[in-house]
Amino acid sequence: MHSFGTSGRGCDVLVIGGGIIGLVTAWQAARRGLRVALADPAPGGGAAQVAAGMLAAVTELHYGEETLLALNLASAERYPRFAADLADASGGLDIGYRACGTLAVALDADDRVHLRELHALQRRCGLESEWLTGRECRRLEPMLAPGVRGGLRVDGDHQVDPRRLAAALLAACERAGVTLHRTGAARLGVTADRAAGAVLDDGTEVAAGQVVLAAGSLSGRLDGVPPEVLPPVRPVKGQVLRLFVPPAYAPFLSRTVRAVVRGSHVYLVPRENGELVVGATSEELGWDTTVTAGGVYELLRDAHELVPGITELPLTETRAGLRPGSPDNAPLLGPTDLPGLHLATGHYRNGVLLTPLTGEVMADVLTTGELPEVARPFSPRRFSAVREESPA
């Protein structure tokens, strides 16, 4: 690009995208002494505003995702320390980290078989989860439907409030001296075959020694990124409801409760402030963020089947957001084949869970050039290798 590095606006690192992944990357890089700028029209927004905030490394385990499990567990382990560090760095903001555990329940015989298989997989992976009878489930959570057939108690799966997490990360970035450009990036700047910054939507040129593309589901749409390194991420829509538990109904649920109801996943996440988050649909509908009657109906129907008393509660909010999905449901972390350009995107349903580890990994990459061992299976280069092998 003609004038990169001549405008006097240079920095060591430019982070494109100000959701929780972009913010944690900027904060951790600044903590390591790098001069960091971040570009986003609304920093602290993005998918985290809709997410429920389950830290569910064990109950979210899926077949074929055992490698991702190691990354998820490593990040979950870091959360208590991360929450304390972030409270210090943000001037005392609490992110609502709650070590309350999770209960996954089965509502019919088919669900019970599915949950038994999940339990066996968890045990094979060395994870701690305990099988409970329906009666034991209801003893733990009296609001559960009488028809519950059994469940898995996972005391190690916790929760955090993603909106408070985003606010704390934004405050930590500001206090660490990150320069915030409250506008989007229009085009990646490339000089001599190297990422050198970006042109922002308002025409500002920001020169940078390294660029991190962390724009969630939008990461695959930035102009100027060579096609062979453009991340293969797509938006996956999720609709979420928020209800309020009046003091007269408390305690309604003491931990996160989740189930598969007629093949659809539903979860209820109780916050200490009385909010109850119910989610989430998973819809491949491109960039559509409409809250639909059908989506709300299905969530309420399934949640009601699980916890009948939910229909008594005030419904306070309905939202839809876009998760950044990748071809293998795992994140893209670290250097690309374009020197100076790194990715931190594609976290799909694990963005909140992977926030602590992503910040650490990206700060390591930006300061040493090396991707830490735990993140190596998630290098963006795993997809460029596939592209090269596929027939023209």
Side-chain angles (χ1 to χ4, degrees), residues 77 105 124 181 256:
E77 209 174 88
V105 302
R124 281 200 300 278
H181 296 277
T256 299

Side-chain angles (χ1 to χ4, degrees), residues 18-19 42 44-51 319 322:
Q49 292 298 312
V50 184
R319 282 286 283 271
L322 301 172

Side-chain angles (χ1 to χ4, degrees), residues 117-164:
E117 287 171 356
L118 176 62
H119 188 224
L121 176 64
Q122 290 168 345
R123 305 301 292 192
R124 281 200 300 278
C125 292
L127 304 173
E128 283 184 35
S129 66
E130 180 191 358
W131 181 264
L132 302 181
T133 64
R135 186 177 284 116
E136 288 168 328
C137 290
R138 285 190 299 280
R139 201 173 295 144
L140 272 188
E141 296 295 345
M143 297 302 288
L144 283 172
V148 165
R149 298 288 191 92
L152 284 178
R153 176 179 177 167
V154 181
D155 287 343
D157 276 1
H158 304 317
Q159 61 152 290
V160 69
D161 185 334
R163 292 178 176 181
R164 291 164 74 178

Side-chain angles (χ1 to χ4, degrees), residues 20-31:
I20 53 175
I21 296 299
L23 289 170
V24 78
T25 299
W27 172 49
Q28 294 288 23
R31 283 179 96 189

Side-chain angles (χ1 to χ4, degrees), residues 11 139 166 296:
C11 55
R139 201 173 295 144
V296 173

Side-chain angles (χ1 to χ4, degrees), residues 13-315:
V13 177
L14 171 64
V15 178
I16 296 173
I20 53 175
I21 296 299
L23 289 170
V24 78
T25 299
W27 172 49
Q28 294 288 23
R31 283 179 96 189
R32 304 273 185 104
L34 297 172
R35 289 173 306 139
V36 183
L38 180 143
D40 190 292
Q49 292 298 312
V50 184
M54 291 179 297
L55 308 176
V58 180
T59 30
E60 284 259 342
L61 177 60
H62 287 63
Y63 292 96
E65 292 185 6
E66 288 82 350
T67 316
L68 180 56
L69 172 68
L71 194 73
N72 287 344
L73 288 172
S75 198
E77 209 174 88
R78 284 162 169 76
Y79 242 104
R81 172 73 190 274
F82 172 78
D85 283 353
L86 186 51
D88 288 345
S90 64
L93 296 183
D94 174 21
I95 62 170
Y97 176 70
R98 227 185 137 185
C100 58
T102 294
L103 183 65
V105 302
L107 286 167
D108 63 25
D110 288 348
D111 297 340
R112 196 169 180 278
V113 170
H114 168 80
L115 213 50
R116 278 289 198 192
E117 287 171 356
L118 176 62
H119 188 224
L121 176 64
Q122 290 168 345
R123 305 301 292 192
R124 281 200 300 278
C125 292
L127 304 173
E128 283 184 35
S129 66
E130 180 191 358
W131 181 264
L132 302 181
T133 64
R135 186 177 284 116
E136 288 168 328
C137 290
R138 285 190 299 280
R139 201 173 295 144
L140 272 188
E141 296 295 345
M143 297 302 288
L144 283 172
V148 165
R149 298 288 191 92
L152 284 178
R153 176 179 177 167
V154 181
D155 287 343
D157 276 1
H158 304 317
Q159 61 152 290
V160 69
D161 185 334
R163 292 178 176 181
R164 291 164 74 178
L165 172 62
L169 284 169
L170 183 56
C173 281
E174 289 172 334
R175 291 167 69 102
V178 173
T179 303
L180 295 175
H181 296 277
R182 291 176 186 269
T183 180
R187 191 168 76 253
L188 181 70
V190 179
T191 300
D193 294 327
R194 183 183 172 86
V199 179
L200 306 185
D201 286 338
D202 64 4
T204 308
E205 287 189 3
V206 181
Q210 301 182 83
V211 178
V212 178
L213 180 48
S217 54
L218 290 164
S219 298
R221 301 184 96 184
L222 181 64
D223 282 350
V225 179
E228 63 276 12
V229 296
L230 205 60
V233 291
R234 69 186 194 285
V236 183
K237 179 179 174 180
Q239 299 189 52
V240 168
L241 316 176
R242 283 179 167 77
L243 299 95
F244 179 67
V245 180
Y249 285 83
F252 191 79
L253 293 173
S254 63
R255 75 204 70 223
T256 299
V257 173
R258 52 190 303 151
V260 177
V261 181
R262 286 181 297 274
S264 298
H265 291 267
V266 65
Y267 51 73
L268 290 82
V269 184
R271 303 247 191 268
E272 279 176 328
N273 63 3
E275 186 175 77
L276 181 66
V277 184
V278 178
T281 65
S282 194
E283 305 164 68
E284 300 276 356
L285 288 170
W287 301 98
D288 171 53
T289 53
T290 314
V291 175
T292 63
V296 173
Y297 166 71
E298 283 164 26
L299 286 173
L300 286 175
R301 179 196 65 198
D302 294 349
H304 173 257
E305 209 155 307
L306 189 59
V307 179
I310 198 168
T311 49
E312 304 294 318
L313 303 178
L315 177 63

